[in-house]
Amino acid sequence: APVAPAVQDETIGSNFTVDATVTYTFDSDSTILRDLSLSVSAQNLFDRDPPFARVANSQIFDSANASVLGRMVSFELRKKF
């Protein structure tokens, strides 16, 4: 049976990303604004591309350690009743 060619050991680059969340809670006597907070979150804030790894002579994405979506930003509005 044919033997697949050996894959050389490769160094895979680091995957350092920055995630951040900022929350503002309104301090007001107004009924509408009381207990209201607004949050903005970002994952992979600087939109850094993940490293690729060569496996069996093809390049694949390591979905266990990074997201293919790149930067994700979310907004959350929360009100206590």
Side-chain angles (χ1 to χ4, degrees):
V3 177
V7 176
Q8 292 182 332
D9 289 340
E10 290 187 37
T11 301
I12 299 171
S14 65
N15 189 26
F16 180 80
T17 61
V18 176
D19 301 337
T21 300
V22 176
T23 302
Y24 179 78
T25 301
F26 293 89
D27 184 23
S28 174
D29 291 332
S30 166
T31 305
I32 295 173
L33 294 178
R34 187 179 310 127
D35 295 324
L36 182 71
S37 64
L38 173 65
S39 297
V40 177
S41 298
Q43 292 179 328
N44 195 1
L45 183 63
F46 301 114
D47 200 22
R48 180 162 184 221
D49 291 336
F52 283 84
R54 184 178 305 278
V55 176
N57 294 326
S58 65
Q59 289 191 349
I60 65 166
F61 176 78
D62 184 3
S63 62
N65 294 302
S67 171
V68 296
L69 299 177
R71 180 186 309 125
M72 282 292 273
V73 178
S74 63
F75 298 90
E76 180 179 290
L77 188 61
R78 184 178 290 191
K79 171 78 173 157
K80 292 181 185 177
F81 293 98

